[in-house]
Amino acid sequence: MDGHPDLVVPSGSGKMCVFLNDGVNFGQCISYPTEGFARKVDVADYTGDGIPDVVVTNYYTLTVTPFKNDGKGNLQPQASLQTPSPAHDLRIRDVSGDGHADIITTNLTTGTLSVFLNNGTGSFNPAATYPIIGSGANAMTIDDVNGDGKPDVITTTGDSSDKMSVFINAGNGTFLAPTHYSAGDNPNGVDVTDVNNDGKLDAVVPSENENTTGIFLGLGDGTFAPKVSYAVGAYPAGISAFNGDNDGYQDLLVVNTVSNSISVLLNDGAGKFDKKLEVPTLAAPFGPAPLDFNGDGHVDFVVSNRDLGLVTVYVNICN
């Protein structure tokens, strides 16, 4: 709790690493064992003590494990929760509106969404599971896309389904059946942000086999216009919105795992992304995660290079 954002990274090799930030540099990996292949993590206070905790997905054991922060930066594993198939993505968010953060996962081979509601003591009820579509559920994000004050869930599904799916929150942590949108060939990644400054949240989705990123303009009621696509690098498999050039407009970071690059799509202020920068990376980048790591007021970003066992921080030198 020193005011400097730290990094928590799943290693994929039976552990996760915590890198403490001193405001200038990151320390060495503080390792925590996990149940096999650690794929995704998220950080939020699920115990209600004001201290950020961690949840990690264990891909091959079909579980997620909450880690409680003891307030001194030490993480203590709690009882694992069962998922119906390997959890591909994960979020910690209060979707029931009771003030307690819940756990939500997308489950790959069953094509489902699992919602573990927090019982108010920092432990979780068994999952309520919702079908998405097909058998390739991958990425997810959570935000209020219809403006009713309740966080909704947006997922992407690859295989032959190739859809972005929108789950509207019905209240108390339950969700309506999803609405599906064609999202290109093998979409994998999703974020929501207001790209055209109309006060309505839009969705952005990369398509791995098309080497494009699709922009779905939100209509404000939880529905979206058909996508408009922009070229990026080879095999884009992750996306995040960020204001990279400090102009007040949301730009996009797209991680390309085959061309070993990050495409930075710059927003012209009207929600168009005709200007692009390509940033080279080390092999097989995953992520990205934007945040101001050095406290200079510019948003930096980090990617993991899982095959190399590395994490790379990119410092924003925007003037």
Side-chain angles (χ1 to χ4, degrees), residues 64-99:
V64 296
T65 305
F67 284 77
K68 181 181 178 180
N69 191 331
D70 68 359
K72 301 176 183 178
N74 302 309
L75 300 178
Q76 303 167 336
Q78 310 298 301
S80 292
L81 307 167
Q82 196 73 39
T83 57
S85 63
H88 194 283
D89 207 354
L90 164 77
R91 293 292 185 275
I92 310 170
R93 187 73 181 270
D94 178 14
V95 296
S96 63
D98 63 357

Short mmCIF file of all heavy atoms in Angstrom, two decimals, residues 64-99:
data_model
loop_
_atom_site.label_atom_id
_atom_site.label_comp_id
_atom_site.label_asym_id
_atom_site.label_seq_id
_atom_site.Cartn_x
_atom_site.Cartn_y
_atom_site.Cartn_z
N VAL A 64 -10.28 -22.19 -9.74
CA VAL A 64 -9.74 -20.86 -9.48
C VAL A 64 -9.44 -20.79 -7.99
O VAL A 64 -10.18 -21.34 -7.18
CB VAL A 64 -10.69 -19.73 -9.92
CG1 VAL A 64 -10.90 -19.76 -11.42
CG2 VAL A 64 -12.02 -19.81 -9.19
N THR A 65 -8.34 -20.11 -7.66
CA THR A 65 -7.93 -20.02 -6.26
C THR A 65 -7.87 -18.56 -5.82
O THR A 65 -7.10 -17.78 -6.39
CB THR A 65 -6.56 -20.67 -6.02
OG1 THR A 65 -6.58 -22.03 -6.49
CG2 THR A 65 -6.20 -20.65 -4.54
N PRO A 66 -8.65 -18.18 -4.81
CA PRO A 66 -8.50 -16.85 -4.23
C PRO A 66 -7.29 -16.82 -3.28
O PRO A 66 -7.04 -17.77 -2.54
CB PRO A 66 -9.80 -16.66 -3.43
CG PRO A 66 -10.72 -17.76 -3.87
CD PRO A 66 -9.84 -18.88 -4.29
N PHE A 67 -6.54 -15.73 -3.32
CA PHE A 67 -5.43 -15.49 -2.40
C PHE A 67 -5.75 -14.23 -1.60
O PHE A 67 -5.91 -13.15 -2.17
CB PHE A 67 -4.12 -15.29 -3.15
CG PHE A 67 -3.50 -16.56 -3.68
CD1 PHE A 67 -3.99 -17.17 -4.82
CD2 PHE A 67 -2.41 -17.13 -3.04
CE1 PHE A 67 -3.42 -18.34 -5.31
CE2 PHE A 67 -1.82 -18.30 -3.53
CZ PHE A 67 -2.33 -18.90 -4.66
N LYS A 68 -5.82 -14.39 -0.28
CA LYS A 68 -6.11 -13.26 0.60
C LYS A 68 -4.83 -12.53 0.96
O LYS A 68 -3.83 -13.14 1.32
CB LYS A 68 -6.79 -13.75 1.88
CG LYS A 68 -7.14 -12.64 2.86
CD LYS A 68 -7.79 -13.21 4.11
CE LYS A 68 -8.10 -12.10 5.10
NZ LYS A 68 -8.73 -12.64 6.34
N ASN A 69 -4.87 -11.21 0.84
CA ASN A 69 -3.74 -10.36 1.21
C ASN A 69 -3.80 -10.11 2.73
O ASN A 69 -4.81 -9.65 3.25
CB ASN A 69 -3.82 -9.04 0.44
CG ASN A 69 -2.58 -8.19 0.55
OD1 ASN A 69 -1.87 -8.23 1.53
ND2 ASN A 69 -2.34 -7.39 -0.48
N ASP A 70 -2.70 -10.41 3.42
CA ASP A 70 -2.70 -10.26 4.87
C ASP A 70 -2.44 -8.82 5.33
O ASP A 70 -2.34 -8.55 6.53
CB ASP A 70 -1.68 -11.20 5.52
CG ASP A 70 -0.23 -10.84 5.20
OD1 ASP A 70 0.01 -9.86 4.46
OD2 ASP A 70 0.67 -11.55 5.67
N GLY A 71 -2.32 -7.90 4.38
CA GLY A 71 -2.09 -6.50 4.72
C GLY A 71 -0.63 -6.12 4.75
O GLY A 71 -0.29 -4.94 4.84
N LYS A 72 0.24 -7.12 4.68
CA LYS A 72 1.68 -6.88 4.65
C LYS A 72 2.27 -7.26 3.29
O LYS A 72 3.49 -7.35 3.15
CB LYS A 72 2.36 -7.68 5.76
CG LYS A 72 1.87 -7.33 7.15
CD LYS A 72 2.53 -8.22 8.21
CE LYS A 72 1.98 -7.91 9.59
NZ LYS A 72 2.58 -8.79 10.63
N GLY A 73 1.37 -7.50 2.32
CA GLY A 73 1.82 -7.88 0.99
C GLY A 73 2.01 -9.37 0.80
O GLY A 73 2.45 -9.81 -0.27
N ASN A 74 1.67 -10.17 1.82
CA ASN A 74 1.76 -11.63 1.70
C ASN A 74 0.40 -12.19 1.28
O ASN A 74 -0.64 -11.79 1.83
CB ASN A 74 2.19 -12.24 3.04
CG ASN A 74 3.52 -11.69 3.52
OD1 ASN A 74 4.49 -11.68 2.79
ND2 ASN A 74 3.53 -11.20 4.76
N LEU A 75 0.41 -13.13 0.35
CA LEU A 75 -0.81 -13.70 -0.18
C LEU A 75 -1.02 -15.10 0.39
O LEU A 75 -0.13 -15.94 0.32
CB LEU A 75 -0.76 -13.74 -1.70
CG LEU A 75 -0.59 -12.39 -2.40
CD1 LEU A 75 -0.48 -12.57 -3.91
CD2 LEU A 75 -1.74 -11.45 -2.05
N GLN A 76 -2.21 -15.35 0.90
CA GLN A 76 -2.54 -16.61 1.54
C GLN A 76 -3.62 -17.32 0.74
O GLN A 76 -4.73 -16.81 0.60
CB GLN A 76 -3.01 -16.36 2.97
CG GLN A 76 -2.01 -15.61 3.83
CD GLN A 76 -2.59 -15.10 5.13
OE1 GLN A 76 -3.79 -14.90 5.25
NE2 GLN A 76 -1.73 -14.89 6.11
N PRO A 77 -3.33 -18.50 0.18
CA PRO A 77 -4.33 -19.21 -0.63
C PRO A 77 -5.52 -19.66 0.20
O PRO A 77 -5.37 -20.10 1.34
CB PRO A 77 -3.56 -20.39 -1.20
CG PRO A 77 -2.42 -20.61 -0.25
CD PRO A 77 -2.06 -19.26 0.27
N GLN A 78 -6.70 -19.52 -0.39
CA GLN A 78 -7.94 -19.97 0.23
C GLN A 78 -8.46 -21.19 -0.55
O GLN A 78 -7.81 -21.65 -1.49
CB GLN A 78 -8.97 -18.84 0.22
CG GLN A 78 -8.44 -17.51 0.77
CD GLN A 78 -8.02 -17.59 2.21
OE1 GLN A 78 -8.82 -17.91 3.07
NE2 GLN A 78 -6.75 -17.29 2.49
N ALA A 79 -9.59 -21.70 -0.14
CA ALA A 79 -10.15 -22.89 -0.79
C ALA A 79 -10.44 -22.60 -2.26
O ALA A 79 -11.04 -21.57 -2.61
CB ALA A 79 -11.42 -23.32 -0.08
N SER A 80 -10.00 -23.52 -3.13
CA SER A 80 -10.22 -23.35 -4.57
C SER A 80 -11.67 -23.60 -4.93
O SER A 80 -12.41 -24.32 -4.24
CB SER A 80 -9.31 -24.30 -5.35
OG SER A 80 -7.96 -23.93 -5.22
N LEU A 81 -12.09 -23.00 -6.04
CA LEU A 81 -13.45 -23.11 -6.55
C LEU A 81 -13.43 -23.87 -7.87
O LEU A 81 -12.55 -23.66 -8.70
CB LEU A 81 -14.04 -21.72 -6.76
CG LEU A 81 -13.98 -20.77 -5.55
CD1 LEU A 81 -14.32 -19.35 -5.98
CD2 LEU A 81 -14.92 -21.24 -4.46
N GLN A 82 -14.42 -24.73 -8.07
CA GLN A 82 -14.44 -25.59 -9.26
C GLN A 82 -15.10 -24.87 -10.43
O GLN A 82 -16.15 -24.23 -10.28
CB GLN A 82 -15.20 -26.87 -8.96
CG GLN A 82 -14.97 -27.98 -9.97
CD GLN A 82 -13.60 -28.61 -9.84
OE1 GLN A 82 -13.10 -28.79 -8.74
NE2 GLN A 82 -13.00 -28.95 -10.97
N THR A 83 -14.48 -24.98 -11.61
CA THR A 83 -15.09 -24.50 -12.85
C THR A 83 -15.46 -25.70 -13.72
O THR A 83 -14.85 -26.76 -13.60
CB THR A 83 -14.13 -23.57 -13.62
OG1 THR A 83 -12.91 -24.26 -13.90
CG2 THR A 83 -13.83 -22.32 -12.81
N PRO A 84 -16.45 -25.58 -14.60
CA PRO A 84 -16.89 -26.74 -15.37
C PRO A 84 -15.91 -27.19 -16.45
O PRO A 84 -15.98 -28.33 -16.91
CB PRO A 84 -18.22 -26.28 -15.98
CG PRO A 84 -18.14 -24.79 -15.99
CD PRO A 84 -17.33 -24.41 -14.79
N SER A 85 -15.03 -26.31 -16.86
CA SER A 85 -13.97 -26.63 -17.83
C SER A 85 -12.87 -25.59 -17.61
O SER A 85 -13.01 -24.71 -16.77
CB SER A 85 -14.52 -26.61 -19.26
OG SER A 85 -14.97 -25.33 -19.63
N PRO A 86 -11.73 -25.70 -18.32
CA PRO A 86 -10.65 -24.76 -18.06
C PRO A 86 -11.09 -23.31 -18.16
O PRO A 86 -11.67 -22.88 -19.15
CB PRO A 86 -9.62 -25.10 -19.14
CG PRO A 86 -9.85 -26.55 -19.43
CD PRO A 86 -11.34 -26.73 -19.32
N ALA A 87 -10.82 -22.54 -17.09
CA ALA A 87 -11.17 -21.11 -17.08
C ALA A 87 -10.17 -20.35 -17.93
O ALA A 87 -8.98 -20.33 -17.63
CB ALA A 87 -11.19 -20.59 -15.65
N HIS A 88 -10.65 -19.71 -18.98
CA HIS A 88 -9.78 -18.99 -19.91
C HIS A 88 -9.57 -17.54 -19.49
O HIS A 88 -8.50 -16.98 -19.71
CB HIS A 88 -10.36 -19.05 -21.31
CG HIS A 88 -9.42 -18.65 -22.39
ND1 HIS A 88 -9.11 -17.33 -22.67
CD2 HIS A 88 -8.70 -19.38 -23.27
CE1 HIS A 88 -8.25 -17.27 -23.67
NE2 HIS A 88 -7.98 -18.50 -24.05
N ASP A 89 -10.59 -16.93 -18.89
CA ASP A 89 -10.45 -15.55 -18.44
C ASP A 89 -11.16 -15.39 -17.11
O ASP A 89 -11.98 -16.24 -16.71
CB ASP A 89 -11.01 -14.58 -19.48
CG ASP A 89 -10.34 -13.20 -19.42
OD1 ASP A 89 -9.54 -12.96 -18.49
OD2 ASP A 89 -10.62 -12.36 -20.29
N LEU A 90 -10.88 -14.28 -16.44
CA LEU A 90 -11.28 -14.10 -15.04
C LEU A 90 -11.44 -12.63 -14.73
O LEU A 90 -10.64 -11.80 -15.18
CB LEU A 90 -10.18 -14.70 -14.14
CG LEU A 90 -10.17 -14.32 -12.66
CD1 LEU A 90 -11.24 -15.08 -11.92
CD2 LEU A 90 -8.80 -14.62 -12.06
N ARG A 91 -12.48 -12.30 -13.96
CA ARG A 91 -12.63 -10.95 -13.42
C ARG A 91 -13.15 -11.06 -11.98
O ARG A 91 -13.91 -11.96 -11.64
CB ARG A 91 -13.62 -10.11 -14.24
CG ARG A 91 -13.15 -9.77 -15.64
CD ARG A 91 -11.97 -8.81 -15.65
NE ARG A 91 -11.63 -8.42 -17.00
CZ ARG A 91 -10.84 -9.11 -17.82
NH1 ARG A 91 -10.33 -10.27 -17.41
NH2 ARG A 91 -10.58 -8.68 -19.04
N ILE A 92 -12.73 -10.09 -11.15
CA ILE A 92 -13.28 -9.93 -9.80
C ILE A 92 -14.07 -8.63 -9.83
O ILE A 92 -13.52 -7.56 -10.05
CB ILE A 92 -12.17 -9.83 -8.74
CG1 ILE A 92 -11.15 -10.96 -8.88
CG2 ILE A 92 -12.78 -9.86 -7.34
CD1 ILE A 92 -9.92 -10.78 -8.00
N ARG A 93 -15.37 -8.73 -9.60
CA ARG A 93 -16.23 -7.55 -9.73
C ARG A 93 -17.52 -7.78 -8.96
O ARG A 93 -18.04 -8.90 -8.93
CB ARG A 93 -16.54 -7.31 -11.22
CG ARG A 93 -17.28 -6.03 -11.54
CD ARG A 93 -16.41 -4.81 -11.41
NE ARG A 93 -17.18 -3.61 -11.71
CZ ARG A 93 -17.30 -3.08 -12.92
NH1 ARG A 93 -16.69 -3.66 -13.96
NH2 ARG A 93 -18.02 -1.99 -13.12
N ASP A 94 -18.05 -6.76 -8.34
CA ASP A 94 -19.34 -6.87 -7.66
C ASP A 94 -20.44 -6.80 -8.70
O ASP A 94 -20.85 -5.72 -9.12
CB ASP A 94 -19.47 -5.75 -6.63
CG ASP A 94 -20.83 -5.77 -5.92
OD1 ASP A 94 -21.55 -6.78 -6.03
OD2 ASP A 94 -21.16 -4.77 -5.26
N VAL A 95 -20.95 -7.96 -9.10
CA VAL A 95 -22.02 -7.98 -10.10
C VAL A 95 -23.40 -8.09 -9.47
O VAL A 95 -24.41 -7.94 -10.16
CB VAL A 95 -21.81 -9.14 -11.12
CG1 VAL A 95 -20.54 -8.94 -11.92
CG2 VAL A 95 -21.83 -10.50 -10.44
N SER A 96 -23.44 -8.35 -8.16
CA SER A 96 -24.74 -8.50 -7.49
C SER A 96 -25.20 -7.22 -6.82
O SER A 96 -26.34 -7.14 -6.36
CB SER A 96 -24.67 -9.62 -6.44
OG SER A 96 -23.75 -9.30 -5.42
N GLY A 97 -24.32 -6.22 -6.71
CA GLY A 97 -24.68 -4.94 -6.13
C GLY A 97 -24.79 -4.93 -4.62
O GLY A 97 -25.38 -4.01 -4.05
N ASP A 98 -24.18 -5.93 -3.95
CA ASP A 98 -24.25 -5.99 -2.49
C ASP A 98 -23.00 -5.42 -1.81
O ASP A 98 -22.86 -5.49 -0.59
CB ASP A 98 -24.48 -7.43 -2.02
CG ASP A 98 -23.33 -8.37 -2.38
OD1 ASP A 98 -22.36 -7.93 -3.05
OD2 ASP A 98 -23.41 -9.55 -2.00
N GLY A 99 -22.08 -4.87 -2.60
CA GLY A 99 -20.86 -4.29 -2.05
C GLY A 99 -19.73 -5.26 -1.87
O GLY A 99 -18.65 -4.87 -1.40
#
